[in-house]
Amino acid sequence: MAYRVLITDDSPAMRSFVRRVIELSGFELSACFEAGDGAQALEVLKNEWVDAILTDINMPGVDGEELLRRLAADELLRGIPAIVISTDATQNRIERLLALGARGYVTKPFRPEALRAELERTLGVPCD
Amino acid sequence: MTETTIRAALAGAVADVLESMFFREAPAEIREVTPEEDTVTIHLKSDGDPPGCFRMSLAQAAANAIAADFLGEDAESITVQESTDVTLELGNMICGAVLSRIESSATFRLGAPRVLTDEIEEAAAGESMRYTVETGSGPMTVAIQMETRTCPQTEKYAY
């Protein structure tokens, strides 16, 4: 089965990297959308359904925390699993973001297989 | 926090980031660095306990080669903008990895990394703990200073 994902990060290089490592890891994508911040992500979600959202936290404008709040507040969007990708590996931050509604958390740096594993766990995909 | 702790955090973070995200082997530390003419330096500030400044300098050739590894492209095809974007992201990840190692029970917030172009500003950054490695395309030095007084102000939350 192939999945539709949305990558939200203010760094074009990071968005490109995340997309590449998802593909390299063997996780099948049928569509991959990109957004530079939370506001752009919400715009994409007005027109496109996705199976998962991968989001950075520290972004200008609508940051990752606010994106999680807005997703949780939206009846149609709250069911989409969001996975945070962040350099911040402190336990306080991870717990805070999970409490805001994130379903997964990947700390940068990460290996491609770690990102795939978190996507599969979050989406309930059976392991190979 | 001891000098040894910070040094080990710098070394571990550099190796971890380059291996995981840039598909490179852990680089060897070098003690004596020959100054490179074409170097890019970035800076970022962190709020935490304690707050601090992080700097990273690397040869432009090394920045281009590392950007190529990150983006899966040839070094010759990397644009200045791509090289800069990846260098800023590299600094962001190394700084985050260092702070996660030395402030794992606290919450920190990273400022926006930015390229330093002013020599006076670079000199004003003051003394800090440094760690230098040979990337294979030129040296890379990371440095952290765990205090705020000499840090230039930076925009927050932008990376």
Side-chain angles (χ1 to χ4, degrees), chain B residues 96-113:
Chain B
V98 171
L99 294 178
S100 293
R101 282 168 165 78
I102 60 181
E103 298 186 38
S104 60
S105 61
T107 298
F108 58 84
R109 193 129 198 169
L110 299 183

mmCIF file of all heavy atoms in Angstrom, chain B residues 96-113:
data_model
loop_
_atom_site.group_PDB
_atom_site.id
_atom_site.type_symbol
_atom_site.label_atom_id
_atom_site.label_comp_id
_atom_site.label_asym_id
_atom_site.label_seq_id
_atom_site.Cartn_x
_atom_site.Cartn_y
_atom_site.Cartn_z
ATOM 1 N N GLY B 96 21.667 21.044 18.501
ATOM 2 C CA GLY B 96 20.581 20.352 19.208
ATOM 3 C C GLY B 96 21.056 19.050 19.835
ATOM 4 O O GLY B 96 20.703 18.718 20.968
ATOM 5 N N ALA B 97 21.908 18.331 19.091
ATOM 6 C CA ALA B 97 22.422 17.058 19.607
ATOM 7 C C ALA B 97 23.360 17.278 20.792
ATOM 8 O O ALA B 97 23.358 16.503 21.747
ATOM 9 C CB ALA B 97 23.139 16.304 18.489
ATOM 10 N N VAL B 98 24.142 18.362 20.751
ATOM 11 C CA VAL B 98 25.029 18.676 21.878
ATOM 12 C C VAL B 98 24.195 18.995 23.111
ATOM 13 O O VAL B 98 24.411 18.446 24.202
ATOM 14 C CB VAL B 98 25.952 19.873 21.542
ATOM 15 C CG1 VAL B 98 26.701 20.341 22.788
ATOM 16 C CG2 VAL B 98 26.939 19.511 20.446
ATOM 17 N N LEU B 99 23.214 19.866 22.936
ATOM 18 C CA LEU B 99 22.400 20.286 24.088
ATOM 19 C C LEU B 99 21.566 19.135 24.639
ATOM 20 O O LEU B 99 21.359 19.044 25.856
ATOM 21 C CB LEU B 99 21.506 21.466 23.701
ATOM 22 C CG LEU B 99 22.260 22.749 23.363
ATOM 23 C CD1 LEU B 99 21.295 23.842 22.938
ATOM 24 C CD2 LEU B 99 23.099 23.235 24.540
ATOM 25 N N SER B 100 21.101 18.252 23.759
ATOM 26 C CA SER B 100 20.343 17.095 24.245
ATOM 27 C C SER B 100 21.222 16.200 25.109
ATOM 28 O O SER B 100 20.743 15.547 26.023
ATOM 29 C CB SER B 100 19.804 16.277 23.071
ATOM 30 O OG SER B 100 18.827 17.021 22.377
ATOM 31 N N ARG B 101 22.519 16.199 24.791
ATOM 32 C CA ARG B 101 23.438 15.384 25.591
ATOM 33 C C ARG B 101 23.760 16.042 26.931
ATOM 34 O O ARG B 101 23.890 15.353 27.935
ATOM 35 C CB ARG B 101 24.755 15.170 24.819
ATOM 36 C CG ARG B 101 24.652 14.116 23.743
ATOM 37 C CD ARG B 101 25.872 14.164 22.823
ATOM 38 N NE ARG B 101 25.986 12.968 21.998
ATOM 39 C CZ ARG B 101 25.278 12.726 20.910
ATOM 40 N NH1 ARG B 101 24.388 13.612 20.504
ATOM 41 N NH2 ARG B 101 25.437 11.615 20.227
ATOM 42 N N ILE B 102 23.878 17.362 26.958
ATOM 43 C CA ILE B 102 24.301 17.998 28.217
ATOM 44 C C ILE B 102 23.143 18.620 28.993
ATOM 45 O O ILE B 102 23.324 19.011 30.136
ATOM 46 C CB ILE B 102 25.423 19.050 27.985
ATOM 47 C CG1 ILE B 102 24.976 20.161 27.051
ATOM 48 C CG2 ILE B 102 26.668 18.389 27.463
ATOM 49 C CD1 ILE B 102 26.047 21.187 26.770
ATOM 50 N N GLU B 103 21.958 18.714 28.361
ATOM 51 C CA GLU B 103 20.802 19.285 29.068
ATOM 52 C C GLU B 103 19.598 18.370 28.891
ATOM 53 O O GLU B 103 18.487 18.837 28.664
ATOM 54 C CB GLU B 103 20.474 20.672 28.506
ATOM 55 C CG GLU B 103 21.582 21.688 28.669
ATOM 56 C CD GLU B 103 21.143 23.080 28.233
ATOM 57 O OE1 GLU B 103 19.997 23.446 28.488
ATOM 58 O OE2 GLU B 103 21.949 23.764 27.625
ATOM 59 N N SER B 104 19.827 17.069 28.995
ATOM 60 C CA SER B 104 18.772 16.121 28.635
ATOM 61 C C SER B 104 17.538 16.216 29.530
ATOM 62 O O SER B 104 16.448 15.823 29.123
ATOM 63 C CB SER B 104 19.317 14.698 28.673
ATOM 64 O OG SER B 104 19.767 14.405 29.968
ATOM 65 N N SER B 105 17.688 16.740 30.729
ATOM 66 C CA SER B 105 16.523 16.814 31.619
ATOM 67 C C SER B 105 15.858 18.186 31.570
ATOM 68 O O SER B 105 14.841 18.410 32.205
ATOM 69 C CB SER B 105 16.935 16.495 33.052
ATOM 70 O OG SER B 105 17.881 17.438 33.476
ATOM 71 N N ALA B 106 16.449 19.116 30.825
ATOM 72 C CA ALA B 106 15.901 20.471 30.754
ATOM 73 C C ALA B 106 15.211 20.693 29.411
ATOM 74 O O ALA B 106 15.245 19.846 28.534
ATOM 75 C CB ALA B 106 17.026 21.486 30.924
ATOM 76 N N THR B 107 14.578 21.838 29.264
ATOM 77 C CA THR B 107 14.013 22.222 27.976
ATOM 78 C C THR B 107 14.834 23.383 27.434
ATOM 79 O O THR B 107 15.064 24.359 28.130
ATOM 80 C CB THR B 107 12.553 22.655 28.137
ATOM 81 O OG1 THR B 107 11.809 21.536 28.625
ATOM 82 C CG2 THR B 107 11.966 23.081 26.808
ATOM 83 N N PHE B 108 15.302 23.256 26.207
ATOM 84 C CA PHE B 108 16.039 24.359 25.602
ATOM 85 C C PHE B 108 15.341 24.758 24.319
ATOM 86 O O PHE B 108 14.529 24.019 23.775
ATOM 87 C CB PHE B 108 17.493 23.970 25.311
ATOM 88 C CG PHE B 108 17.650 22.787 24.411
ATOM 89 C CD1 PHE B 108 17.602 22.930 23.035
ATOM 90 C CD2 PHE B 108 17.849 21.523 24.929
ATOM 91 C CE1 PHE B 108 17.740 21.840 22.192
ATOM 92 C CE2 PHE B 108 17.987 20.421 24.088
ATOM 93 C CZ PHE B 108 17.931 20.579 22.729
ATOM 94 N N ARG B 109 15.646 25.929 23.863
ATOM 95 C CA ARG B 109 15.054 26.430 22.631
ATOM 96 C C ARG B 109 16.177 26.991 21.777
ATOM 97 O O ARG B 109 16.926 27.852 22.234
ATOM 98 C CB ARG B 109 14.042 27.519 22.988
ATOM 99 C CG ARG B 109 13.158 27.886 21.849
ATOM 100 C CD ARG B 109 11.710 27.834 22.299
ATOM 101 N NE ARG B 109 10.859 27.777 21.128
ATOM 102 C CZ ARG B 109 9.577 27.523 21.168
ATOM 103 N NH1 ARG B 109 8.992 27.288 22.305
ATOM 104 N NH2 ARG B 109 8.864 27.492 20.076
ATOM 105 N N LEU B 110 16.265 26.515 20.543
ATOM 106 C CA LEU B 110 17.334 26.987 19.667
ATOM 107 C C LEU B 110 16.894 28.222 18.902
ATOM 108 O O LEU B 110 15.757 28.296 18.438
ATOM 109 C CB LEU B 110 17.714 25.903 18.659
ATOM 110 C CG LEU B 110 18.236 24.580 19.215
ATOM 111 C CD1 LEU B 110 18.630 23.662 18.068
ATOM 112 C CD2 LEU B 110 19.420 24.815 20.124
ATOM 113 N N GLY B 111 17.814 29.179 18.770
ATOM 114 C CA GLY B 111 17.551 30.335 17.925
ATOM 115 C C GLY B 111 17.740 29.958 16.466
ATOM 116 O O GLY B 111 18.072 28.816 16.142
ATOM 117 N N ALA B 112 17.519 30.925 15.605
ATOM 118 C CA ALA B 112 17.710 30.676 14.173
ATOM 119 C C ALA B 112 19.196 30.706 13.856
ATOM 120 O O ALA B 112 19.867 31.685 14.179
ATOM 121 C CB ALA B 112 16.993 31.749 13.374
ATOM 122 N N PRO B 113 19.725 29.657 13.217
ATOM 123 C CA PRO B 113 21.128 29.722 12.822
ATOM 124 C C PRO B 113 21.302 30.754 11.710
ATOM 125 O O PRO B 113 20.412 30.937 10.893
ATOM 126 C CB PRO B 113 21.423 28.305 12.320
ATOM 127 C CG PRO B 113 20.117 27.692 12.004
ATOM 128 C CD PRO B 113 19.078 28.394 12.808
#
